[in-house]
Amino acid sequence: MTITELRKKFIEGSYTPLDAYTDTRATIDAKDQDIHAFLDVYDDGRESAEKATNIYKEKGEETPLLLGMPLAIKNNILIKGKKATAASKILENYIAPYDATVITRLKEQGAVFVGSTNLDEFAMGSSTENSAFGLTKNPVDPTRVPGGSSGGSAAAVAMGAAVASLGTDTGGSVRLPASFCGVVGFKPTYGRVSRSGLIAMGSSLDQAGTLTNSVRDAEILFNSINGKDPLDATTINVDTYSQVRAKDTYRIGIPRDFLSNEGMDPDVLQVFNDTIENLSKVGHEIVDISLPLMRKGLAAYYIVMPAEVSSNLARYDGVRFGLHVDGDSLLEDYMKTRAEGFGDEVKRRILLGTYVLSAGYYDAYYGKAEHLRTMMREELLQVYKNVDLIMTPTAPTPAFKIGEKSDPLSMYLADIFTVPVNLTGVPAISIPAGTVDRDGISLPVGVQYIAPHAGDERLFDFGKKIYDEGVMQSE
Ligand code: GLN
């Protein structure tokens, strides 16, 4: 069910938030042993669900849109009094001392938190195999990964254990798992959603995003979490941008040069091309565009992101947060704690980041990557003079097998279409577009739509429209 459908029932009283909570718990009990989407399940969700049930009885339609909605939250987003581990051993027993701003806003609406979801350690990965607490499986085909790093959040929604969930997206971590699990994944414009209370990965790239069963639900969830926040100086004021709104037909740019990368599965490309055809049948205009710099995005991302990771993760020193391992000196305490607490992928990125920021290499690597980033932004600005949206596949493949991408470089390639979006700060949404067959199982495939800076509302308008026009099968 969608948030919209649930809400109708909650208002009628034919199904209550308490029923929804009980049913999601039953789903978790039945399926999560195998799928492992959750790291923690919250018993106190029942209390909030009961409360919400009573408020609906009293106030009906005059209630906030998210009242009583069972939501799952990625475990790198702080909920006061709950464990916030980022799926790392170094934070295994860390209890969040305050609420992230997004959580404060959801609590104000009376949303019900059913539990926290699994992720790649510190959100580094594309498969949720990098969690220190065991991997998550794809509910569509449990021999495959759910995508990452918000794999638990995507799996939770896909298996019906939450009506919607929050993830974080630094290079595609909401959109990729959405594509692999067959749900809608939305990454807002950088700065529209507060990062206060998100465990930082790459601060100039991170945004909280939504995983939902419909575009409308993404809009509802986004509307309740976005906005300027005094606790995050990079948040921006929305009013300035309200001019970017709906149109009857859209002019959509296809960066063909960017799509011709070798890792692209032919049947995934077919789903993409079919979607283009359906869009033009209902009157949208499709034009070819050229984005020569976008394909360099992945290379720039794997310099900028590790640089920010190495500095953000310096705080885990065994003194201030989580795990502490004793050595013979303070320096040895640091070294032992970090050696034991961090997993391989996290260490790899800290090393890489420290290297690209070191005195001899800063200009050659970090400086160049930041320069490229500025040029990519300019390239986009030029293209958006001529188109309303850009369209790409979300990923070159459907969900891959567990263990298939043991070489980190091959894993990084899964993000080729998503990372340029974070580097340039623009908003994007992955919408399920069709399926491809693997071993007799239909695996979902998403298409990514990218709007200009602060064009989040345009993505919702467009996304809802193409459902209404029948370009997509279901809401
Ligand atoms: N998969 C990408 C990475 O490993 C993106 C991660 C993310 O968006 N958090 O860095």
Side-chain angles (χ1 to χ4, degrees):
M1 265 193 268
T2 62
I3 291 176
T4 327
E5 286 161 356
L6 263 189
R7 178 161 169 83
K8 206 166 148 255
K9 291 190 194 292
F10 287 173
I11 291 170
E12 288 165 5
S14 58
Y15 188 69
T16 67
L18 189 57
D19 296 333
Y21 177 78
T22 314
D23 285 346
T24 44
R25 278 305 286 259
T27 305
I28 294 171
D29 289 345
K31 297 185 185 167
D32 210 45
Q33 198 89 316
D34 181 36
I35 301 298
H36 191 46
F38 288 88
L39 289 178
D40 274 312
V41 181
Y42 302 145
D43 290 330
D44 56 4
R46 171 172 296 274
E47 236 168 87
S48 346
E50 272 167 358
K51 236 197 203 155
T53 302
N54 291 330
I55 302 177
Y56 271 107
K57 276 191 199 135
E58 238 176 78
K59 296 199 174 140
E61 269 175 61
E62 265 114 70
T63 46
L65 292 179
L66 290 178
L67 178 67
M69 297 297 160
L71 304 182
I73 307 293
K74 187 175 181 179
N75 204 213
N76 62 350
I77 301 175
L78 270 50
I79 305 179
K80 189 176 178 182
K82 307 284 189 205
K83 269 206 255 173
T85 66
S88 180
K89 217 180 135 196
I90 214 161
L91 288 176
E92 190 166 5
N93 298 309
Y94 180 68
I95 307 285
Y98 62 93
D99 281 326
T101 297
V102 290
I103 296 299
T104 305
R105 293 189 177 169
L106 292 176
K107 281 185 175 173
E108 280 163 9
Q109 293 234 347
V112 173
F113 303 121
V114 294
S116 68
T117 55
N118 200 11
L119 62 149
D120 287 299
E121 185 177 358
F122 283 104
M124 300 176 199
S126 308
S127 67
T128 317
E129 291 167 296
N130 292 340
S131 167
F133 309 121
L135 52 82
T136 297
K137 297 177 188 169
N138 190 321
V140 183
D141 175 356
T143 67
R144 292 175 185 274
V145 304
S149 62
S150 314
S153 289
V157 175
M159 73 188 199
V163 69
S165 62
L166 286 188
T168 59
D169 191 312
T170 303
S173 277
V174 162
R175 291 158 285 155
L176 185 76
S179 178
F180 283 9
C181 293
V183 299
V184 174
F186 170 64
K187 198 262 333 160
T189 299
Y190 182 81
R192 285 205 66 179
V193 177
S194 170
R195 287 180 294 109
S196 172
L198 266 53
I199 296 178
M201 177 180 164
S203 304
S204 77
L205 306 157
D206 297 344
Q207 271 292 282
T210 62
L211 293 125
T212 56
N213 286 313
S214 74
V215 174
R216 203 164 262 114
D217 282 2
E219 183 179 29
I220 293 171
L221 203 49
F222 173 71
N223 284 344
S224 59
I225 58 172
N226 85 68
K228 186 122 183 99
D229 177 14
L231 298 176
D232 174 0
T234 62
T235 48
I236 53 176
N237 209 335
V238 262
D239 298 344
T240 333
Y241 298 103
S242 45
Q243 74 274 16
V244 191
R245 289 303 311 217
K247 291 184 138 196
D248 283 337
T249 58
Y250 287 81
R251 213 171 137 81
I252 304 166
I254 316 288
R256 281 283 167 203
D257 50 350
F258 184 35
L259 299 186
S260 52
N261 93 72
E262 280 156 39
M264 187 83 212
D265 283 0
D267 51 357
V268 173
L269 189 60
Q270 193 55 48
V271 169
F272 179 72
N273 287 334
D274 291 347
T275 309
I276 293 178
E277 202 169 299
N278 292 340
L279 285 168
S280 68
K281 267 191 208 144
V282 295
H284 301 293
E285 197 184 339
I286 309 291
V287 295
D288 275 347
I289 54 171
S290 168
L291 291 170
L293 294 177
M294 285 294 152
R295 59 179 341 137
K296 300 196 164 67
L298 202 59
Y301 175 77
Y302 275 94
I303 290 172
V304 172
M305 174 273 299
E308 296 187 11
V309 160
S310 74
S311 91
N312 272 326
L313 270 57
R315 75 191 70 177
Y316 305 106
D317 55 6
V319 178
R320 287 171 294 177
F321 304 91
L323 183 76
H324 172 85
V325 183
D326 262 333
D328 287 338
S329 64
L330 184 60
L331 182 65
E332 222 181 272
D333 285 6
Y334 293 161
M335 294 191 339
K336 285 197 161 162
T337 302
R338 289 167 70 85
E340 249 183 60
F342 289 138
D344 287 349
E345 185 59 28
V346 172
K347 284 179 189 158
R348 182 177 298 123
R349 295 188 190 202
I350 292 172
L351 287 173
L352 202 59
T354 310
Y355 177 79
V356 300
L357 290 176
S358 60
Y361 297 104
Y362 183 94
D363 288 333
Y365 296 114
Y366 184 75
K368 272 224 174 98
E370 283 294 344
H371 184 63
L372 177 68
R373 209 173 162 185
T374 307
M375 288 167 67
M376 285 170 71
R377 243 178 248 137
E378 279 162 15
E379 182 178 85
L380 271 189
L381 278 179
Q382 289 307 316
V383 165
Y384 280 122
K385 284 184 182 159
N386 188 34
V387 299
D388 303 313
L389 297 170
I390 294 170
M391 179 179 169
T392 73
T394 306
T397 67
F400 43 86
K401 289 267 187 193
I402 291 166
E404 184 183 327
K405 299 206 190 279
S406 48
D407 165 22
L409 282 181
S410 78
M411 180 84 80
Y412 296 171
L413 282 173
D415 301 317
I416 179 107
F417 299 125
T418 51
V419 296
V421 169
N422 302 72
L423 284 170
T424 52
V426 294
I429 195 164
S430 173
I431 301 181
T435 56
V436 295
D437 185 272
R438 295 287 181 280
D439 314 319
I441 298 176
S442 296
L443 300 177
V445 166
V447 162
Q448 171 175 251
Y449 300 94
I450 309 167
H453 194 255
D456 308 73
E457 283 75 9
R458 179 181 289 176
L459 289 176
F460 300 136
D461 290 327
F462 171 78
K464 288 184 291 186
K465 194 173 170 55
I466 62 175
Y467 278 114
D468 294 343
E469 288 167 342
V471 177
M472 304 290 150
Q473 298 93 336
S474 63
E475 208 211 2

